[in-house]
Amino acid sequence: MTIVRQNSLNTSLIPPEILAEKYIEAERMHDVLLLLQNLINSEEATVKLILDCLYDVGSVNLINQKLPVKPVNRLMKLIARMSKPVFRTLAFNWFKKNCPQLIADWLHSQVTFGTTPAKPREIAIEVAPIQPYSALQTENLNQEIKNLRHQVRLLAGISIIAIAVLGVTATWLN
C-alpha cells in the first residue's frame, strides 16, 4: 500500500501539537484496523456462525415480507436453507474485506464524541491513491451484473419447476 502524505490546509496555520495529535490518532486507528483484521482471521469460525445466524433470521424475514403466499413462501424458505453454504462463503469473504474498516470507522466516530464543528477542517495525514473505474470497466461490470441477474432468475425458475415436477411425481406415484 502506497501512502501519500497530503495536507489539504496550509500546515503553517495549524499548531504542531495538533498535527502531532492527528498523526498519533491516525496511527492508533490504523492499529485498531489491523487488530480487527487479526481478530476476524483468528475467529473465523465465530464470524461464520454469526453470519449463519444473521442469514437464518434475515432470509426468513425477507421471504415472509416479500412472499406472503404459503406454497411459494415454503418453497423459497427451502431454497434459502439450501443456499446457505454459498451465502456463508460469499458473506465471509465480503465481511473479511469490508467490515474491519467499517467497524474501525464506526469506533473512531464513537471516540470523537461528536465534537466536530459545523464545517469540519480537513487534515489528511495518510491517503492511499484511489483509481476510479474507467468507462470500459464500468460498462463491463454492468454487463456482468446483468448476466448474473439473468442467471439467478433462470436458476430460480428451473428450481421451482424441478421441485414442482418432483412434487407432482411423488403425488402421482402415491
Side-chain angles (χ1 to χ4, degrees):
M1 178 171 100
T2 307
I3 298 176
V4 178
R5 189 173 191 135
Q6 187 177 47
N7 294 324
S8 59
L9 293 174
N10 186 354
T11 56
S12 63
L13 299 176
I14 300 172
E17 303 86 33
I18 293 178
L19 282 177
E21 288 173 357
K22 290 294 181 185
Y23 183 74
I24 292 170
E25 180 181 334
E27 280 184 344
R28 297 306 290 166
M29 290 313 300
H30 183 70
D31 291 344
V32 168
L33 176 64
L34 292 176
L35 290 167
L36 286 167
Q37 289 171 339
N38 185 38
L39 178 67
I40 289 170
N41 288 334
S42 65
E43 295 297 330
E44 180 176 336
T46 304
V47 171
K48 285 183 177 180
L49 287 172
I50 290 169
L51 291 172
D52 282 350
C53 294
L54 292 174
Y55 180 77
D56 290 340
V57 172
S59 64
V60 168
N61 286 338
L62 182 65
I63 291 169
N64 287 340
Q65 181 183 12
K66 297 292 183 179
L67 302 167
V69 179
K70 280 285 185 198
V72 177
N73 186 297
R74 286 188 208 134
L75 177 65
M76 291 308 295
K77 286 179 183 175
L78 177 66
I79 292 171
R81 268 187 252 123
M82 291 188 303
S83 66
K84 189 175 184 178
V86 175
F87 167 81
R88 182 186 303 127
T89 303
L90 295 173
F92 181 71
N93 289 335
W94 181 89
F95 188 92
K96 191 174 177 179
K97 180 181 175 188
N98 296 310
C99 282
Q101 185 65 52
L102 292 171
I103 294 169
D105 291 345
W106 178 78
L107 289 171
H108 185 248
S109 73
Q110 296 302 302
V111 296
T112 56
F113 303 110
T115 58
T116 56
K119 184 176 180 185
R121 297 184 339 178
E122 292 183 17
I123 302 174
I125 302 297
E126 297 178 6
V127 178
I130 298 174
Q131 303 275 331
Y133 288 119
S134 68
L136 181 59
Q137 286 174 321
T138 304
E139 184 178 315
N140 288 341
L141 288 173
N142 287 336
Q143 185 61 39
E144 188 173 339
I145 290 170
K146 287 178 185 175
N147 289 339
L148 289 172
R149 285 181 180 159
H150 176 70
Q151 289 176 357
V152 167
R153 285 188 200 112
L154 182 64
L155 287 173
I158 291 171
S159 298
I160 290 170
I161 291 170
I163 291 171
V165 168
L166 181 66
V168 168
T169 304
T171 305
W172 182 70
L173 289 176
N174 286 334

